[in-house]
Amino acid sequence: MEKIIGLIDAPFTPFLPNGDVNYEPIPAYAAMLKKNGLTGVFINGSSGEGYMLTTEERIKLTEKWIENAPAGFKVIVHVGSCCVRDSRKLAEHAQACGAWGVGAMAPPFPKIGRVEELVKYIEEIAVGAPDLPFFFYHIPAFNGAFLPMLDLLKTVDGRVPNFAGIKYTFESLYEYNQCRRYADGKFDMLHGQDETILASMALGGAKGGICGTSNYNGRCLTGIQEAFYAGDMEKARRLQEYAQDVIDVICHFRGNIVGGKRIMKLIGLDLGPNRTPFRNVTDEEEVRLKAELEAIDFFNRCNVL
């Protein structure tokens, strides 16, 4: 299977003030990401509040992103849910309408506690899109599935024909590298933590990643990769440190899903509020958010429309 080179964005889902999905910004959103160096999107995931969308909304979002994807722009659809039958239907739909790939994280309920349980879950979803690469989205902080990913690869190998790899959003670069080295690099290991992109390339040989802060700081994150492969480690380090500066700011405003989404409004692409039970950034907090970003010269370095 083709391995991903470059960075895939995890986009936010645009909402109207009343909480309905707003599909109107998607063409401009896709064009902006492409313009700022991103190679595709992984939609309906955690940044996109995917578990808070109805199945019908997820289907329509998939169609809108695929319809508006620039040439060569990959659309990977997160199809995970607590109902594995819904997940399989979402995978079937993604394949039918031309997605590049599909993926799923472990469900938040019931909690998966064994690798075999996880592989069975993956099997039942992946069969819905047999012609597309399937990626497991490893983000145990969201679902409590603190399982050994090397064991997952060993168990799934040869059992799920279209299993392509893992979006690895966890802190263990040692385990990440173990997975990358498994079977001479058979599976694609997509790095999922923006704060350690450089480390994943230097230690783990990462070629591709799926990012959340790339929605507004993609020029910096793609710059880290470009500098590293050009052999300019000092520039790569400076950019990684700046990426951390931006992450430090959003951590003051409930993280990327809440604070990061409000940054989109500040750079000119208003994607609306978050859905309940997220606590939206208040007007007062927005003023402070903007001031903290100005203090690190963000608006001269962020993504441009």
Side-chain angles (χ1 to χ4, degrees), residues 141-211:
F142 279 20
N143 48 39
F146 290 92
L147 298 172
M149 288 297 98
L150 183 59
D151 288 350
L152 172 66
L153 294 184
K154 291 177 180 178
T155 307
V156 81
D157 192 1
R159 187 164 156 183
V160 180
N162 57 330
F163 187 88
I166 298 173
K167 178 193 174 184
Y168 190 88
T169 307
F170 190 54
E171 288 77 20
S172 177
L173 287 172
Y174 170 60
E175 183 186 51
Y176 173 87
N177 202 32
Q178 283 183 307
C179 293
R180 187 194 62 81
R181 295 170 61 201
Y182 171 74
D184 295 323
K186 179 177 181 177
F187 294 109
D188 204 359
M189 292 298 298
L190 301 172
H191 186 68
Q193 287 196 311
D194 301 359
E195 56 269 41
T196 53
I197 287 176
L198 180 56
S200 75
M201 291 189 292
L203 172 65
K207 301 290 185 183
I210 301 179
C211 306

Side-chain angles (χ1 to χ4, degrees), residues 67-305:
E67 288 170 9
N68 291 285
F73 199 69
K74 294 177 171 64
V75 178
I76 306 172
V77 183
H78 176 259
V79 297
S81 74
C82 292
C83 176
V84 72
R85 293 188 175 189
D86 281 347
S87 293
R88 188 179 342 185
K89 289 178 182 178
L90 288 167
E92 290 170 354
H93 172 263
Q95 177 170 298
C97 65
W100 186 88
V102 295
M105 68 178 78
F109 177 86
K111 181 178 176 180
I112 289 180
R114 296 171 59 245
V115 168
E116 177 58 32
E117 294 168 358
L118 180 56
V119 173
K120 183 63 175 173
Y121 177 74
I122 289 170
E123 276 186 310
E124 291 196 19
I125 298 171
V127 73
D131 298 332
L132 301 184
F134 176 94
F135 295 90
F136 174 62
Y137 179 6
H138 183 50
I139 184 164
F142 279 20
N143 48 39
F146 290 92
L147 298 172
M149 288 297 98
L150 183 59
D151 288 350
L152 172 66
L153 294 184
K154 291 177 180 178
T155 307
V156 81
D157 192 1
R159 187 164 156 183
V160 180
N162 57 330
F163 187 88
I166 298 173
K167 178 193 174 184
Y168 190 88
T169 307
F170 190 54
E171 288 77 20
S172 177
L173 287 172
Y174 170 60
E175 183 186 51
Y176 173 87
N177 202 32
Q178 283 183 307
C179 293
R180 187 194 62 81
R181 295 170 61 201
Y182 171 74
D184 295 323
K186 179 177 181 177
F187 294 109
D188 204 359
M189 292 298 298
L190 301 172
H191 186 68
Q193 287 196 311
D194 301 359
E195 56 269 41
T196 53
I197 287 176
L198 180 56
S200 75
M201 291 189 292
L203 172 65
K207 301 290 185 183
I210 301 179
C211 306
T213 63
S214 55
N215 282 288
Y216 41 87
N217 200 33
R219 291 166 62 195
C220 171
L221 299 182
T222 58
I224 295 170
Q225 284 196 318
E226 291 166 2
F228 178 80
Y229 290 121
D232 191 343
M233 283 296 294
E234 184 54 37
K235 181 178 181 180
R237 289 190 191 100
R238 289 199 306 270
L239 288 170
Q240 182 68 85
E241 289 176 1
Y242 183 74
Q244 185 65 65
D245 289 340
V246 175
I247 292 167
D248 288 345
V249 171
I250 63 171
C251 285
H252 299 156
F253 300 92
R254 297 182 287 288
N256 181 57
I257 299 174
V258 175
K261 191 173 189 180
R262 185 58 63 92
I263 290 175
M264 301 302 289
K265 175 187 175 184
L266 297 177
I267 67 173
L269 188 65
D270 191 350
L271 302 178
N274 299 99
R275 275 192 172 168
T276 306
F278 283 114
R279 288 190 299 123
N280 282 282
V281 172
T282 65
D283 291 342
E284 179 184 2
E285 286 176 322
E286 183 180 311
V287 172
R288 292 182 9 236
L289 171 61
K290 184 178 180 181
E292 289 191 29
L293 292 170
E294 288 173 338
I296 59 171
D297 195 32
F298 173 78
F299 296 102
N300 288 317
R301 304 178 67 167
C302 64
N303 286 356
V304 293
L305 295 178

